[in-house]
Amino acid sequence: MDRSSIRKRLVALKGKNGKPLFGSDTIDRLFRLPEQSLSDYLSYLNYVESTGNINTIQTYRSKQLDFLEYISHRNCDIKNITQSVVDDYFKKYDSIDKSNGTFNTRIGYIKPFLEFFSLDGIDVNKFTKPVDKKVKKMKRLSAKNISEARYEFRNDAKKLFVFEMIYYTEFSMTEIGEIQKEHIDYSSRSISYCGKESVLPEKLMAFIQKNESILFDESFDM
């Protein structure tokens, strides 16, 4: 495996916003993986690039590499892991992740990676946890407050998107920042992510579709 060529390719790989998708630290982290795990990740990367969803790499990458590092320490690679190894991985993070939403996000990031390799008998859905919908009561916004916020953010599509999503949906701030266009179904006016689904008002969905290239050029820095 020609790691010099691989490094050049990763350094040159950019998202739709023109920014590099891989920094030197992440590339070094990849190169510390065993040869087979590195090869498997590159195969997945090629697939995602071919689908046109390359921006998801930057969002999903950290937890996917974390998973590869874990199974490497267990002397496994992605094509020969067992359900027992997967169980142990998620049990480890059950106590580390601070909320059910965070834990479910980890599952959501690793799941497409496992699905790419068509692993029979590996089930990650069983780890999905119900999200506690109890939230601290907030002061209700008046119609005037809402109008003022919309006016304030009228020239900033990202801020307006975040405000409207918080107002209309149950997605957390972190989840809103991670939503990508592949999570959106314009025909049903719905967004599905991390086990949640919200149907949006027609006007908001039209706004999202109009500003898609701005909203999903990269993950939000929430």
Side-chain angles (χ1 to χ4, degrees):
M1 185 177 292
D2 186 350
R3 296 197 173 210
S4 176
S5 296
I6 293 171
R7 182 179 290 273
K8 288 179 181 178
R9 183 208 164 194
L10 293 177
V11 167
L13 196 59
K14 293 180 171 58
K16 293 181 180 178
N17 61 350
K19 294 182 180 179
L21 291 177
F22 290 89
S24 58
D25 290 345
T26 303
I27 296 174
D28 289 343
R29 186 179 173 188
L30 268 171
F31 282 1
R32 286 193 290 269
L33 292 171
E35 290 281 302
Q36 186 59 54
S37 290
L38 174 59
S39 177
D40 289 339
Y41 184 80
L42 293 174
S43 295
Y44 174 73
L45 178 63
N46 289 338
Y47 163 73
V48 175
E49 189 175 13
S50 72
T51 65
N53 293 325
I54 193 65
N55 279 358
T56 62
I57 287 294
Q58 197 167 29
T59 305
Y60 292 16
R61 181 186 57 216
S62 179
K63 289 180 173 59
Q64 290 174 347
L65 293 189
D66 177 73
F67 181 75
L68 284 175
E69 289 165 347
Y70 177 83
I71 66 173
S72 296
H73 292 152
R74 295 287 300 269
N75 296 316
C76 297
D77 59 63
I78 196 72
K79 295 176 183 175
N80 66 20
I81 57 171
T82 63
Q83 184 68 52
S84 177
V85 172
V86 175
D87 290 350
D88 290 343
Y89 172 80
F90 283 108
K91 287 175 183 176
K92 171 185 175 182
Y93 283 97
D94 192 7
S95 58
I96 295 176
D97 289 334
K98 300 300 183 183
S99 70
N100 288 355
T102 303
F103 188 78
N104 288 347
T105 297
R106 182 179 297 278
I107 295 170
Y109 287 176
I110 293 173
K111 184 178 177 180
F113 186 59
L114 296 177
E115 288 176 342
F116 169 72
F117 293 98
S118 302
L119 301 176
D120 294 330
I122 301 298
D123 180 17
V124 297
N125 291 323
K126 69 178 185 176
F127 299 106
T128 303
K129 296 185 176 184
V131 177
D132 185 2
K133 294 184 178 180
K134 293 181 180 179
V135 296
K136 184 183 288 186
K137 288 188 177 181
M138 299 173 65
K139 182 179 178 181
R140 185 181 296 276
L141 291 176
S142 68
K144 180 181 178 182
N145 295 149
I146 296 168
S147 295
E148 287 173 345
R150 286 171 173 160
Y151 181 80
E152 178 71 20
F153 301 144
R154 68 192 185 282
N155 294 321
D156 191 322
K158 287 189 175 183
K159 287 183 179 179
L160 184 56
F161 171 72
V162 172
F163 172 77
E164 298 288 2
M165 289 291 290
I166 291 172
Y167 182 72
Y168 282 112
T169 77
E170 294 182 350
F171 291 113
S172 68
M173 290 282 283
T174 299
E175 290 165 348
I176 293 170
E178 294 168 346
I179 287 171
Q180 294 289 325
K181 62 183 179 181
E182 60 265 26
H183 302 129
I184 300 173
D185 184 344
Y186 289 112
S187 62
S188 63
R189 300 205 323 269
S190 63
I191 294 182
S192 301
Y193 185 61
C194 285
K196 302 178 185 178
E197 182 176 7
S198 288
V199 178
L200 305 186
E202 186 174 349
K203 187 175 181 180
L204 176 54
M205 188 58 80
F207 165 80
I208 293 172
Q209 191 165 18
K210 178 182 177 182
N211 293 280
E212 188 180 84
S213 62
I214 299 172
L215 298 176
F216 308 118
D217 61 347
E218 59 182 308
S219 295
F220 286 115
D221 181 358
M222 298 305 289

